[in-house]
Amino acid sequence: MEKSQLLVFILAGGVFSILNTEMGIIGLLPAVAEYYGIDIVQAGLLISMFALCVAVAGPTMPLLCSRFRRKPVMLLVLGIFTACNLAAVFASSFEVLLLARVIPAFFHPVYCAMAFSMAATSVAAARALEAVARINMGVAAGMVIGVPVSNFLAGQFGFREAMSFFAAVTGIMFIATLLFVPDKYSGEHKSYGQQFTVLRRSQVWLAVMAVVFLNGSIFGVYNYLAEYLEKVAGVENQTGALLLLAFGLMNVLGSWVAGILLSFRAEKTIMLFPVLVAALYGFFYTSAAYGIVVITGGIILWGILGGINANINQYLVAKVTADAPDFGNGLFLTAANIGCVAGTFVGGIFIQQADLSAVVLSGIVMVVPAMLILYIRKSVTAEKTAAAAFCK
């Protein structure tokens, strides 16, 4: 294995370990509620507080850490995650467990932002998007594998053993980073003020808004998928669990596909993507009761689109913040988390005002503004390109 391939593999593994910590707790919420004698809503703070901290830290923490060498910072982040995961294993109260979740959440964007930028610069420019796609495969894997594994461990052994899984994974990636990641990647040479100047660009704000709506359109609906499959599509619990797993695995495949598409047909892929998402949601709304084969096909396609979505989101922001990559990737993470929260909120409104089947319509409501923003972005980019050519 080439050194650059090994580096990207370790970075993807590190991102996987962090996303595994973030999302894997979903499979433990019932066990948490029972273990600490709280209700499921209070246990849900372990998810919502983590996401809120990531959203707050997204544009700030990567920027503050951007001037330091990459390897020590990554080791620090993985060390904090491992230590806090171990603390969570022995947490004597829910408050201690919540604190053990909140602290590492602030460092989540630091590692992920650096992983994206390091992956892109560790290979030839022509292969940069493929390397970034590998990182997004780690993201997708972390989101899908952590939930069933933690749920299984909790059921077979207990809550503390399941929490130990998170500590083990981050600990392994700490050792792999220590042994195999070279310490040759330096921090940003630009001042914080210079990196902040990217916020003056209209393309940056268009990209951020596009990410909010695109991610909201995917995960705002996905967050209600389990209930949708059971109560609207009439899918049994075990089959529904398999479909959720299939969605996540297709996310991984979608990330790989996106690396190829964005390398050769970036703009066409970006402009076609929201149209496909809207069409898919229309399909779900009209065919939810058509049978398991139809639903399975839709879930598989949706999972692939979900993986492509993550890569498009990162690409949109990274392209217009190339001179401040860590800060740009932090913006991407914040926008993605805001989109997830906004999409879930809009989906909840549709469910309350209509019924559960209408949640897919909320996805269309979120993706239509994304179409408009992407069209404006394309026009603005074309105008600036033409203006630059004229000045030359």
Side-chain angles (χ1 to χ4, degrees):
M1 182 181 292
E2 297 178 4
K3 290 184 178 180
S4 60
Q5 291 179 323
L6 177 61
L7 174 62
V8 172
F9 178 79
I10 292 174
L11 293 174
V15 170
F16 163 77
S17 72
I18 288 175
L19 267 294
N20 178 64
T21 297
E22 177 183 6
M23 303 301 294
I25 197 70
I26 294 174
L28 295 180
L29 291 187
V32 169
E34 181 180 357
Y35 188 88
Y36 290 104
I38 58 177
D39 59 45
I40 196 70
V41 176
Q42 189 176 355
L45 288 173
L46 297 173
I47 300 173
S48 58
M49 289 300 295
F50 194 105
L52 178 62
C53 292
V54 172
V56 170
T60 54
M61 290 297 288
L63 179 65
L64 292 174
C65 296
S66 64
R67 301 181 71 176
F68 301 100
R69 296 198 327 275
R70 300 294 191 253
K71 182 174 181 176
V73 173
M74 288 182 158
L75 287 172
L76 173 65
V77 175
L78 290 171
I80 290 173
F81 266 82
T82 302
C84 288
N85 283 333
L86 285 173
V89 173
F90 302 102
S92 57
S93 66
F94 177 74
E95 289 73 20
V96 174
L97 177 62
L98 184 60
L99 182 63
R101 292 275 297 172
V102 167
I103 292 174
F106 282 104
F107 294 88
H108 172 297
V110 175
Y111 187 96
C112 292
M114 288 187 175
F116 280 117
S117 59
M118 280 182 67
T121 57
S122 67
V123 298
R127 296 174 54 199
L129 291 175
E130 292 184 35
V132 170
R134 301 294 187 275
I135 305 303
N136 273 313
M137 289 173 69
V139 172
M143 295 181 69
V144 65
I145 293 176
V147 176
V149 170
S150 63
N151 185 268
F152 171 79
L153 291 174
Q156 294 296 315
F157 303 103
F159 165 67
R160 294 191 185 278
E161 287 77 6
M163 292 298 295
S164 299
F165 170 65
F166 303 146
V169 175
T170 51
I172 289 171
M173 295 318 304
F174 176 92
I175 295 172
T177 301
L178 179 65
L179 296 178
F180 300 111
V181 172
D183 194 12
K184 66 178 182 178
Y185 294 92
S186 60
E188 294 271 6
H189 296 297
K190 291 189 175 182
S191 67
Y192 298 143
Q194 287 176 308
Q195 294 183 67
F196 264 123
T197 58
V198 302
L199 295 177
R200 298 177 182 175
R201 303 168 188 168
S202 58
Q203 300 103 309
V204 171
W205 290 105
L206 288 170
V208 167
M209 287 190 292
V211 170
V212 169
F213 284 104
L214 287 175
N215 217 50
S217 71
I218 295 293
F219 287 99
V221 181
Y222 170 74
N223 288 341
Y224 298 100
L225 180 56
E227 190 174 6
Y228 178 90
L229 289 173
E230 178 185 352
K231 296 183 178 179
V232 178
V235 176
E236 296 181 356
N237 287 340
Q238 290 184 336
T239 304
L242 290 175
L243 288 176
L244 289 172
L245 179 62
F247 178 92
L249 293 175
M250 290 303 102
N251 259 234
V252 178
L253 175 62
S255 292
W256 177 76
V257 171
I260 299 173
L261 293 176
L262 292 175
S263 295
F264 297 100
R265 295 288 186 272
E267 289 303 318
K268 288 184 178 180
T269 300
I270 291 169
M271 298 306 295
L272 180 61
F273 176 79
V275 178
L276 293 177
V277 171
L280 180 64
Y281 286 148
F283 163 81
F284 272 122
Y285 189 67
T286 58
S287 63
Y290 285 4
I292 188 62
V293 175
V294 174
I295 292 298
T296 300
I299 293 294
I300 288 173
L301 177 57
W302 189 15
I304 293 173
L305 289 175
I308 294 174
N309 170 71
N311 285 266
I312 287 177
N313 288 344
Q314 197 275 337
Y315 175 88
L316 287 171
V317 179
K319 187 174 182 181
V320 291
T321 58
D323 50 339
D326 290 338
F327 181 51
N329 283 317
L331 287 175
F332 150 64
L333 292 168
T334 293
N337 277 273
I338 291 174
C340 184
V341 173
T344 303
F345 176 75
V346 173
I349 292 176
F350 271 74
I351 293 171
Q352 290 177 340
Q353 297 300 318
D355 53 38
L356 187 57
S357 65
V359 70
V360 294
L361 298 181
S362 73
I364 297 177
V365 168
M366 292 296 289
V367 84
V368 168
M371 293 183 191
L372 177 61
I373 293 168
L374 290 173
Y375 178 79
I376 295 173
R377 165 194 167 273
K378 186 176 181 180
S379 300
V380 170
T381 302
E383 288 177 4
K384 289 187 176 294
T385 301
F390 177 79
C391 292
K392 289 182 180 180

